[in-house]
Amino acid sequence: MFSNLRKFGVNHKKISILHISNMCCCKIKASLKRLKPYVPLGRSYSSLPGLVGNDIKSLHSVISPPIAKIRNIGIMAHIDAGKTTTTERILYYSGYTRSLGDVDDGDTVTDFMAQERERGITIQSAAVTFDWKGYRVNLIDTPGHVDFTLEVERCLRVLDGAVAVFDASAGVEAQTLTVWRQADKHKIPRICFLNKMDKTGASFKYAVESIREKLKAKPLLLQLPLGEGKAFKGVVDVVSKEKLLWNHPSEDGKDFERKPLLETSDAELLKETAEARNDLIEQVADLDDEFAGLVLGEFSENFDLLPTEKLQAAIHRVTLAQTAVPVLCGSALKNKGVQPLLDAITMYLPSPEDRNYEFLQWYKGDLCALAFKVLHDKQRGPLVFMRIYSGMIKPQSAIYNINGNCTERVSRLLLPFADQHIEIPSLTAGNIALTVGLKHTATGDTIASSKSSALAAARRAEREGEKQHRQNSEAERLLLAGVEIPEPVFFCTIEPPSVARQPDLDYALKCLQREDPSLKVKLDPDSGQTVLCGMGELHIEIIHDRIKREYGLETYLGPLQVAYRETILNAVRATDTLDRTLGDKRHLVTVELEVKPIETSSVTPVIKYAPSVSEDLPKVSQEAIENGIHSACLQGPLLGSPIQDVAITLHSLIIHPGTSTTMISACVSRCIQKALKKADKQVLEPLMNLEVTVMGDYLSPVLADLAQRRGTIQEIQTRQENKIVTGFVPLAEIMGYSTVLRTLTSGSATFALELCNYQAMNPQDQATLLGRRSGLNQVL
């Protein structure tokens, strides 16, 4: 590796320095003494991206490949479907690691956090850059656990394509549906990889059928498996009518044979493959007019004569149009089927120029990028991941943050390789970059080259909007869609080991919040305690562990609480007057308003104004009123939980001249609290979608346990020897469920949870909850 680097340095004297941070190595030669080796569990990386073997490319080709040769893709799936193992094999076969990592051994490249290696799960997404047959691939390995759904969401926002990984024995699972919906929302073309074909109970037919039925997608079978379960030995390429066999002597799966199917030796397999190819051609012809013309014309008599290249081009167009999804199969753990998957990624998934981004026309080639993730590094400070949509970014250049309305300077530019990074001199459109030196940029911020560039883009967007009679504001059109942050469902108090360490805890939480927007931190106004709000038990547990390991703080967590909501059942009116004299100024406000329930679910209150009020209401006063309404709805009268599903109508407002906006807000807030106390109140509790996979022998005790937990069973399906129980269960009843389920089923069952909605508690359960809370308050 180092000889390659020396050649690289000699051939490019104009480049003053090429930093390589954190590269794994055993010996550091004298010429590279300044590099600090960091060896996480002794992984060895073969070379720089683009510098495989003795193929020394120019710096420009390494850093900025042609945009048509770039693929920004994500690996997404249900937990334990094999995403990280697939990513690990991809890195090995593309020449970027010298040894195969294993999730069970805790030495994978993308799961580099201590918590990920201990638990064998992905917690935060990791970006990896590598080359495959002349293509630059920016790959992001995403988590599968529901507590880290935001990680998937913010990564899908910046990707051009995705690989959905499935467990071939389970097909479509609960979290698969969630990530598929997220990909649908961002209109991301994807391909399917049926992993674990070597697993007992693996069924290619069942997995394909579940994609068709549950995901409502049209699968295009590009491969057929050669055997299933223990008998799995390779795949058949339906497009080219070849079989791919992985040889036993090659333990790492690098060597495999590609043989054409022959009538003499593979008669039955050839017949099956020919039928599958004809079905594939008919499916694609139904979806692509250009290909249909070709098929109905010169190749209508014999599909066998249809060139492979024409079929592949048509599959590419159909995938981009998202009218169907190519399906491949293999076993990442057994090193089979990964190289054809890489070929499919480069062949069928889009390059950045294949995606139509409307906003690019407004920037006219100037810098436009989206910050989609922030990490904190002890040496470098905040590291901001950016997807560059247009223009170029360079170190030491100033950039303008449109959301934050501030200018910052990029001190260094890095190419991401999991927890290792390579410093680079520039990066162009279509790439994913890692920037150092940005102090204020957060997840979801839109970046431009300068304020004047952003204003020019806004003017172009405004002119375009006028042409198309759109009413969006300039800012809305200019800002790239950020990330929707889900509301937390769990909360607990967190305390430092001593009062003197409170500032250290505040700093740690501030850093973690910037990294993870789904983590909310607030101060309890009554007790003065810091409250952590998260997406689940595991989420809060991981945050607690990270504070201990990364910031050296032994914090104490209070008991986990469920984030309830409140609403009202009937309409009530209230009037309130606030009359205060401060100094020589009198502040007088009289408010009359009505609070009533609404049928549609709305987290924030719906605000209405009576005609008599809205006629001559100044904008400043309107803002003050709305601030008062929102602050009043943060704490309900029953539990102090947020109020939702209400509409508030302002009927009368009398303001004495000179009254401050703060007093208007205070009066409105007090009036709403008065109205809420008069109304019939209702507690809403979070309801979870639950899917339990259990062996038939243990079904009865699992169902009996769910009945005790106020669970509602929707259906029970059969999947091979297992039963799949789907239903709903209140979040309050599911705490610690994993331990109970393991005990009931001797560790054989698994379950998946996802927030469904908030539902009204029945009067008996509500009375029990309020009694418990009031008793707790008395104790405190």
Side-chain angles (χ1 to χ4, degrees):
M1 183 184 89
F2 293 111
S3 62
N4 284 348
L5 288 175
R6 284 204 302 277
K7 289 181 195 173
F8 190 81
V10 170
N11 292 343
H12 298 86
K13 291 176 183 176
K14 290 179 184 176
I15 301 142
S16 58
I17 192 166
L18 181 68
H19 286 294
I20 305 162
S21 60
N22 299 342
M23 293 296 283
C24 294
C25 49
C26 301
K27 295 178 181 178
I28 306 297
K29 296 207 174 181
S31 60
L32 296 171
K33 274 184 181 174
R34 65 183 176 278
L35 300 185
K36 294 180 181 178
Y38 168 61
V39 188
L41 296 183
R43 290 308 307 277
S44 56
Y45 301 94
S46 60
S47 59
L48 289 176
L51 300 179
V52 181
N54 294 316
D55 181 19
I56 310 300
K57 302 176 184 175
S58 72
L59 183 65
H60 188 267
S61 72
V62 171
I63 305 309
S64 299
I67 194 165
K69 294 284 187 180
I70 296 172
R71 297 290 181 270
N72 293 311
I73 63 154
I75 305 277
M76 60 182 203
H78 182 86
I79 192 167
D80 206 28
K83 297 179 301 299
T84 302
T85 305
T86 304
T87 305
E88 193 66 26
R89 299 310 183 258
I90 284 172
L91 292 178
Y92 181 67
Y93 298 133
S94 57
Y96 285 81
T97 54
R98 286 181 180 162
S99 59
L100 286 167
D102 195 288
V103 173
D104 295 334
D105 295 340
D107 63 348
T108 58
V109 172
T110 51
D111 283 356
F112 52 83
M113 285 173 63
Q115 294 90 342
E116 292 177 315
R117 290 181 160 169
E118 285 169 7
R119 297 164 192 265
I121 61 169
T122 302
I123 292 167
Q124 63 178 20
S125 50
V128 185
T129 298
F130 64 90
D131 291 345
W132 176 256
K133 296 184 179 177
Y135 287 85
R136 164 61 48 84
V137 183
N138 296 311
L139 182 147
I140 295 181
D141 177 26
T142 62
H145 199 285
V146 69
D147 285 16
F148 310 109
T149 298
L150 180 70
E151 277 290 319
V152 184
E153 177 81 18
R154 63 179 172 183
C155 292
L156 287 177
R157 172 67 189 82
V158 297
L159 296 173
D160 299 317
V163 177
V165 180
F166 299 79
D167 181 335
S169 66
V172 174
E173 297 175 88
Q175 191 64 9
T176 317
L177 282 163
T178 305
V179 294
W180 196 267
R181 282 197 299 267
Q182 288 173 309
D184 280 340
K185 185 168 74 176
H186 295 294
K187 297 184 172 61
I188 292 174
R190 66 218 82 146
I191 58 181
C192 300
F193 180 60
L194 304 183
N195 191 25
K196 303 192 178 184
M197 284 302 304
D198 63 307
K199 188 176 173 183
T200 304
S203 170
F204 183 78
K205 189 179 177 183
Y206 169 78
V208 170
E209 208 52 45
S210 72
I211 291 171
R212 187 179 282 114
E213 287 178 13
K214 294 186 180 179
L215 301 179
K216 308 298 181 215
K218 291 182 180 174
L220 301 176
L221 304 188
L222 306 190
Q223 291 178 349
L224 298 174
L226 286 169
E228 291 179 349
K230 297 264 191 259
F232 178 69
K233 58 184 178 182
V235 299
V236 174
D237 189 329
V238 173
V239 177
S240 64
K241 292 201 287 188
E242 294 173 314
K243 61 179 178 182
L244 283 66
L245 296 169
W246 274 261
N247 302 322
H248 283 295
S250 173
E251 288 298 321
D252 63 0
K254 265 193 175 178
D255 302 321
F256 64 95
E257 289 181 284
R258 185 183 280 271
K259 294 179 179 177
L261 292 171
L262 302 172
E263 189 73 50
T264 52
S265 56
D266 311 294
E268 200 168 315
L269 188 58
L270 181 60
K271 185 185 173 187
E272 188 186 343
T273 306
E275 286 175 6
R277 190 174 191 266
N278 291 344
D279 290 344
L280 175 65
I281 289 168
E282 286 173 10
Q283 268 186 292
V284 176
D286 284 342
L287 301 169
D288 187 81
D289 292 341
E290 184 184 333
F291 186 67
L294 197 68
V295 169
L296 295 172
E298 55 187 299
F299 301 107
S300 58
E301 298 299 320
N302 189 353
F303 285 173
D304 289 342
L305 299 175
L306 185 75
T308 301
E309 298 75 28
K310 298 285 185 186
L311 179 53
Q312 288 170 339
I315 294 168
H316 176 70
R317 291 193 297 273
V318 166
T319 307
L320 261 57
Q322 294 162 63
T323 48
V325 286
V327 176
L328 299 96
C329 62
S331 168
L333 187 65
K334 299 295 183 186
N335 313 318
K336 293 172 185 172
V338 177
Q339 294 95 326
L341 174 64
L342 272 166
D343 291 335
I345 286 168
T346 57
M347 198 178 296
Y348 303 124
L349 289 180
S351 71
E353 63 183 2
D354 289 328
R355 298 295 304 278
N356 271 326
Y357 295 111
E358 186 188 349
F359 55 82
L360 287 183
Q361 60 185 315
W362 309 325
Y363 285 89
K364 301 287 185 189
D366 280 345
L367 176 66
C368 170
L370 180 73
F372 67 94
K373 184 175 169 67
V374 180
L375 285 177
H376 277 82
D377 185 274
K378 286 181 181 176
Q379 278 79 37
R380 301 186 188 100
L383 304 177
V384 181
F385 283 84
M386 279 193 198
R387 163 69 194 270
I388 305 170
Y389 287 97
S390 70
M392 180 188 283
I393 195 164
K394 291 182 176 180
Q396 303 307 320
S397 60
I399 56 156
Y400 177 66
N401 184 330
I402 297 176
N403 302 65
N405 190 23
C406 63
T407 300
E408 297 196 80
R409 187 168 293 280
V410 177
S411 62
R412 294 165 70 191
L413 195 61
L414 308 169
L415 206 59
F417 187 53
D419 60 339
Q420 316 200 12
H421 314 113
I422 298 154
E423 188 159 341
I424 51 174
S426 66
L427 209 57
T428 52
N431 281 290
I432 287 173
L434 193 53
T435 58
V436 182
L438 303 182
K439 301 282 191 294
H440 307 291
T441 302
T443 297
D445 286 356
T446 304
I447 304 299
S449 55
S450 63
K451 190 168 186 177
S452 58
S453 167
L455 290 170
R459 284 193 293 273
R460 291 185 200 109
E462 188 179 12
R463 285 198 295 271
E464 185 65 28
E466 285 169 1
K467 280 183 198 171
Q468 298 181 14
H469 307 291
R470 291 182 185 168
Q471 299 302 311
N472 305 36
S473 71
E474 279 183 38
E476 282 175 352
R477 282 196 299 271
L478 192 61
L479 295 177
L480 307 182
V483 180
E484 285 181 29
I485 298 166
E487 287 296 313
V489 291
F490 271 118
F491 66 93
C492 67
T493 57
I494 183 167
E495 292 181 3
S498 65
V499 177
R501 300 300 302 272
Q502 184 66 45
D504 297 334
L505 176 60
D506 292 341
Y507 172 74
L509 291 174
K510 184 183 174 185
C511 292
L512 290 169
Q513 265 188 292
R514 193 174 169 199
E515 281 187 30
D516 180 3
S518 65
L519 173 69
K520 301 281 198 309
V521 179
K522 60 184 183 183
L523 201 67
D524 189 306
D526 300 324
S527 64
Q529 288 178 299
T530 305
V531 179
L532 275 187
C533 308
M535 300 306 300
E537 285 181 88
L538 181 62
H539 187 202
I540 287 182
E541 193 182 317
I542 294 292
I543 293 297
H544 182 224
D545 195 33
R546 288 188 66 187
I547 291 170
K548 179 182 175 182
R549 291 184 196 228
E550 295 172 28
Y551 298 92
L553 280 172
E554 286 281 357
T555 52
Y556 305 103
L557 290 184
L560 274 180
Q561 305 287 330
V562 174
Y564 291 99
R565 301 277 172 83
E566 298 178 33
T567 191
I568 57 171
L569 301 173
N570 60 323
V572 285
R573 277 199 181 213
T575 308
D576 196 26
T577 301
L578 190 148
D579 189 354
R580 294 260 176 89
T581 303
L582 298 173
D584 56 350
K585 197 180 258 189
R586 188 185 182 195
H587 302 269
L588 176 61
V589 192
T590 301
V591 175
E592 183 186 354
L593 50 77
E594 181 186 34
V595 183
K596 63 179 180 182
I598 55 172
E599 289 182 9
T600 55
S601 181
S602 174
V603 177
T604 53
V606 177
I607 302 169
K608 299 176 183 175
Y609 298 92
S612 57
V613 175
S614 60
E615 283 172 9
D616 53 355
L617 187 66
K619 191 174 181 183
V620 177
S621 300
Q622 186 179 331
E623 285 176 3
I625 291 161
E626 290 178 5
N627 285 340
I629 290 172
H630 287 300
S631 64
C633 289
L634 289 175
Q635 285 195 309
L638 286 173
L639 295 168
S641 300
I643 298 286
Q644 72 171 45
D645 306 341
V646 295
I648 294 166
T649 308
L650 190 68
H651 288 285
S652 169
L653 178 69
I654 301 165
I655 305 171
H656 187 273
T659 301
S660 73
T661 54
T662 309
M663 293 297 176
I664 297 170
S665 294
C667 184
V668 169
S669 184
R670 199 167 72 177
C671 189
I672 289 171
Q673 291 285 1
K674 190 187 286 187
L676 292 172
K677 283 176 183 170
K678 284 162 61 178
D680 295 331
K681 296 166 281 291
Q682 173 73 60
V683 174
L684 304 174
E685 65 176 343
L687 191 70
M688 307 299 284
N689 278 327
L690 174 70
E691 182 179 288
V692 182
T693 305
V694 59
M695 288 168 67
D697 300 348
Y698 298 110
L699 182 63
S700 295
V702 167
L703 293 177
D705 179 65
L706 286 173
Q708 288 183 332
R709 295 173 185 272
R710 298 190 283 129
T712 306
I713 306 302
Q714 240 184 335
E715 64 174 333
I716 301 170
Q717 296 177 330
T718 302
R719 184 189 291 163
Q720 275 98 39
E721 294 141 21
N722 292 330
K723 299 289 183 185
I724 311 300
V725 180
T726 54
F728 305 102
V729 64
L731 178 62
E733 303 292 344
I734 212 76
M735 281 203 249
Y737 183 60
S738 56
T739 308
V740 174
L741 187 65
R742 274 198 300 270
T743 307
L744 286 173
T745 64
S746 302
S748 62
T750 59
F751 75 100
L753 280 174
E754 185 185 12
L755 180 65
C756 175
N757 56 23
Y758 276 80
Q759 72 160 14
M761 292 184 83
N762 67 48
Q764 186 181 351
D765 292 328
Q766 181 171 316
T768 306
L769 173 67
L770 294 173
R772 197 164 64 238
R773 282 293 179 94
S774 60
L776 181 67
N777 291 339
Q778 285 167 14
V779 170
L780 290 173

